Amino acid sequence: MHSDTSRESGEEPPSGQLLNQLKEFRTAGRGFWSNVSDSEWNDWHWQLKHRITTAEQLQRLMPTLAPEEYDGTKLANHKLALAITPYFFNLIDPADEYCPIRWQVIPRIEETDTASWEMTDPCGEDSHSPVPGLVHRYPDRVLFLVTDRCAAYCRYCTRSRLVSNASGYDFHPEFDRQIEYIRQNKAVRDVLLSGGDPLLFSDEKLEYLLSQLRAIPHVEFLRIGTRIPIFLPQRITPELCATLKKYHPLFVSIHSNHPRELTTEVRDALGRLADAGVPLGNQSVLLRHVNDDATVMKAHLQKLLMCRVKPYYIYQCDLIAGSAHLRASVRSGIQIMEKLRGHTTGYAVPTYVIDAPGGGGKVPVSPEYVLSRNADRVVIRNYEGKIFEYPEALDGTPLFKSPKEIEEPELV
Ligand code: SF4
C-alpha cells in the first residue's frame, strides 16, 4: 500500500516532479495478506476467492470508510455488486477519501441519485442485439459478450445493467447462436470479445470460443476487451499467453485509468502478453478525482508506453445511471487533450471520444486546430498557438499559384 509523497507532505510538488513520481513502478505489496503464501497470492483463483464483497469486510479492512461509502456498499448488491481483489485493494490509500483507486471501485450512496438524462443502456446495445449476447451496430464488426462477471466492478461501468447481475438482468449469452450469426454475416470481419471479462474464463473455454471464431474465413481480426491485467495480473499466466498466441491476429484492449494502477505486477503481466505477440491498446474513462488532471493523465499515458501498451481511447464517461459524481466535464477533457498533443510523444496521445448517448457511436472530440478553411488554403495553429497556412491542393490539380497570391480566406 502506498500513497503519493506529495500527499504525505501536504505540499504539491512542481508538475515535472509529480509526473516522475506518478511514473514510478511500485508493487501493490501484500498489505493485510502478508501471511499468505506466495503460491496462493500469485494464484488467480485464490485472488478471486478472497475478493472483498461486503460492507463488513470493507469496514474491517478499512476503518476509514466514509459514511457515503458504507451506505453505498450496503445498497450495491441491488445495483452493481461490490467486488475488489486483495491485490487491487492494496492500491487504495485508506487515508485519502479521494484516492483515485478507491473512487473507482468502492460504491458511494451518490450512485442512487439518477438524473433524467442518465440511462441504463447509454450505448443502446440492447436495441442492436440480433442474438442474445451479440451487439451488431456497425456493418463490419460485432461485440461478442461472453459473461456478466468481472474480477472487480467499476462504479461507472457502461454495462452495469448486466454485469454482476445485481439488478436481475439475467444475462444468458448463446455462444452457438452468436457464432452462427457471425458465420452467416460475411460482412463481419472484426469480433470483439467483451462482457464482463472474457479472461475470467478458463483457458479451455476461451480457446473453444477463439478457435470457433478463427475458423470463420471472413473473420480477419479478433479482439479481447479486458480489465483483468489491472485487477488480477496473476491471471496472465504463461499458459494463457500460449493459448492466445495461437489465434493471431488477436489484439487485447486493456482498461486502466490512473498511473498507480500500473504496478510492477501489471508491467510484468503486460510484458508476457506483448512477448506472445499480442498488440496492446488501452482505453481510459475520464473520471472526476481519478484522471481529470493533465499531469496525472500524461503520467498514465507515458507509463502505458513503458508497459508496451498504446493508449487508444479516452472515453467521456457515459451517462450511466447514478454516475454524476464520477463524470468529469467535456471541457476538462478537451483541456487535457490540449496539454498532450505536441507536448508528448504522439504514440502516447489517444483519441478522446464521446459515445453518442443512445447508441450514436464514438465521436472524436478535440481542441480546435483548424482556424479557417476555404478552397485555397487552410489556416491552422500548432500546440504553441503559432499560426500557419497550408495551401490547399485543388482536387486532382497541382497547385500552380503561390500561397501569397491566394485571397484571404473567410474565417469560420
Ligand atoms: S471491468 Fe469493464 S465490464 Fe467489468 S465492471 Fe469494469 S468497466 Fe464494467
Side-chain angles (χ1 to χ4, degrees), residues 80 104-105 147-160 162-164 194-197 225-228 231 255 285:
L80 172 66
Q104 293 180 61
V105 289
T147 175
D148 59 1
R149 301 294 135 146
C150 299
Y153 294 108
C154 314
R155 306 321 303 172
Y156 50 87
C157 177
T158 292
R159 289 192 199 111
S160 54
L162 70 90
V163 298
S164 86
S194 186
D197 207 311
T226 176
R227 210 175 175 192
I228 286 279
F231 285 148
H255 169 182
V285 180

Side-chain angles (χ1 to χ4, degrees), residues 284 296-305 311 314 340 348-350:
S284 292
V296 169
M297 186 62 89
K298 193 197 269 188
H300 180 229
L301 301 171
Q302 291 180 347
K303 210 171 174 187
L304 281 165
L305 289 187
I314 296 175
L340 293 174
V349 183

